[in-house]
Amino acid sequence: MIIAPSLLASDFTRFGKEAARAAKSGAEWLHLDIMDGQFVPNISFGPAVVAAVRPHAKNIFFDVHLMCGQPEILLEPFVKAGADQIIVHVELGDKVPQLLWKIKSLGKKVGLAVNPPTSINAALPYLDKLDLLLVMTVNPGFGGQSFIHECLPKIQQADAWRREKKLNYRLEVDGGINNQTVADCAHAGADTFVAGTALFSKRNMGAAVAKMRKIAHAHDPALADLKV
Ligand code: DX5
Ligand code: ZN
C-alpha cells in the first residue's frame, strides 16, 4: 500500500518545509497537483515550485498530477523539475496516446486519471500502457472536498480488469481520502492513496500516515483471502 500526501493541502508559505515533512512522515510518495485554470477552475503551482521542493524531499517519489488542458507543453519542464511519474487525464481524448508515449519516452512512470463523471471504460484502451490508473474520487480542482462514494464501483472494475488481463498498474484514488474512506477504497481494490487535508492538517503526519496505511492494509481484499 502506498500513501501519497498531496502538497496542495500544505502551507503554501512553506513549500520546502512541508515537502520535507511529508518525506519524513514515512509516506512513499508526494502527490503534486498541477492546475492550469483551464482544465480545472483553479491554479496551483508549476515546475518552478516542484524544482524548488525537490532537494527538500530527495528520498520520496514525486507523483505529478497534471490537471491541465495542454500537458504536452509541460511534460519536459516537470521531468526536469524532478517528477518521477506524470499523470494526465483521459478526458483529454485524442491527445492521450501521444501523451502516454511521450511520458514513457522521457523515462518516467505513466499515469492516467479518470474523473467521477467519466466512465471507467474510457481507460480500457490504455490499460496495458499504464504504470498507474487514478480513479478520481472528487471532481478535480480543490482539496478538502467530500468523497464521492459512487466512484467505488469504478475502482472495483479497474481492479477486476487488472486481475483478468494480468496487468500490474497501480490503482490510485485521489480526493476526500481519510481514515474512513481509505477503508472503502482499499476494500474495492485501490493500493495507492492520495490524501491532502487528512494528512497535512495533522501535527504528527508520521502517525497519520502510519494509521492510514494500517487501515488500508486491514481492508486489503488480497489479505482477507489469505485470512480464510
Ligand atoms: C483535487 C486534487 C487532490 C486533492 C486531494 O483536484 O487532485 O489531490 O488535492 O485533497 P484532499 O485529500 O484534501 O481531498
Ligand atoms: Zn491529485
Side-chain angles (χ1 to χ4, degrees):
M1 297 297 190
I2 284 186
I3 306 293
S6 168
L7 197 69
L8 188 74
S10 72
D11 176 349
F12 273 31
T13 67
R14 301 156 19 101
F15 273 137
K17 286 192 171 23
E18 292 280 74
R21 189 156 76 98
K24 282 196 213 91
S25 73
E28 295 83 357
W29 291 7
L30 180 64
H31 186 79
L32 297 136
D33 285 309
I34 311 305
M35 301 177 183
D36 67 355
Q38 301 289 324
F39 187 76
V40 291
N42 194 4
I43 294 177
S44 58
F45 43 78
V49 168
V50 174
V53 302
R54 183 78 264 189
H56 295 267
K58 290 196 182 78
N59 63 341
I60 196 168
F61 184 91
F62 273 25
D63 178 33
V64 173
H65 178 190
L66 295 184
M67 289 161 274
C68 305
Q70 283 187 288
E72 61 275 15
I73 64 174
L74 297 169
L75 300 181
E76 275 156 282
F78 277 106
V79 167
K80 206 157 152 265
D84 295 297
Q85 173 167 266
I86 298 182
I87 301 168
V88 293
H89 271 260
V90 75
E91 290 81 14
L92 291 166
D94 300 346
K95 286 186 176 183
V96 171
Q98 179 71 8
L99 287 167
L100 302 182
W101 179 87
K102 179 76 178 163
I103 296 166
K104 201 161 196 79
S105 72
L106 291 168
K108 299 304 169 185
K109 297 281 186 193
V110 178
L112 187 65
V114 182
N115 281 336
T118 306
S119 162
I120 194 70
N121 294 336
L124 253 180
Y126 308 109
L127 294 179
D128 60 342
K129 295 179 179 55
L130 302 181
D131 297 298
L132 175 131
L133 179 60
L134 166 52
V135 176
M136 289 301 294
T137 44
V138 295
N139 286 299
F142 299 90
Q145 300 179 76
S146 303
F147 182 83
I148 301 174
H149 285 83
E150 289 72 18
C151 297
L152 286 170
K154 294 167 75 174
I155 302 166
Q156 286 166 326
Q157 178 62 73
D159 185 39
W161 283 334
R162 183 168 52 179
R163 281 198 307 275
E164 288 153 21
K165 300 173 187 296
K166 298 186 176 27
L167 295 172
N168 57 8
Y169 51 83
R170 295 202 71 90
L171 189 42
E172 185 176 58
V173 288
D174 180 7
I177 302 299
N178 56 38
N179 286 344
Q180 286 66 49
T181 56
V182 71
D184 301 331
C185 291
H187 187 68
D191 51 50
T192 306
F193 306 90
V194 175
T197 310
L199 295 178
F200 271 105
S201 64
K202 300 290 186 311
R203 283 177 59 79
N204 183 341
M205 192 190 272
V209 166
K211 179 120 194 287
M212 187 171 277
R213 184 184 289 113
K214 191 161 172 245
I215 296 168
H217 267 294
H219 291 81
D220 178 351
L223 294 182
D225 295 349
L226 289 176
K227 277 186 198 132
V228 292

